[in-house]
């Protein structure tokens, strides 16, 4: 879906222009891409992978 043809009910301008807070909120909601992953979760996954690699190296090394 695109916001190019949407008209804001609050300011009656195209949403793509983002002239009012409602337009900007709708535009950011439509243009949100992918799933946002918290940086702490990524860091925890990397630490877990590092730990698993060290354990496997100790078992097979």
């Amino acid at each position: 879906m695109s916001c190019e043809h949407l008209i804001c009910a609050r300011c009656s301008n195209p949403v793509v222009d983002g002239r009012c807070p409602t337009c900007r909120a709708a535009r950011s909601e439509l243009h949100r891409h992918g799933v946002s992953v918290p940086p702490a979760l990524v860091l925890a996954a990397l630490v877990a992978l590092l730990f698993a690699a060290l354990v496997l190296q100790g078992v097979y090394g």
Side-chain angles (χ1 to χ4, degrees):
M1 183 177 207
S2 173
C3 62
E4 292 177 7
H5 303 292
L6 297 177
I7 302 296
C8 178
R10 183 174 182 193
C11 68
S12 300
N13 289 308
V15 171
V16 72
D17 292 345
R19 294 185 183 178
C20 74
T22 305
C23 291
R24 289 189 290 274
R27 185 178 60 188
S28 68
E29 182 70 28
L30 286 172
H31 291 276
R32 192 172 296 166
H33 297 285
V35 178
S36 63
V37 178
L41 184 60
V42 172
L43 182 62
L46 288 173
V47 168
L49 285 173
L50 178 64
F51 180 73
L54 289 174
V55 168
L56 288 175
Q57 185 180 12
V59 170
Y60 294 112

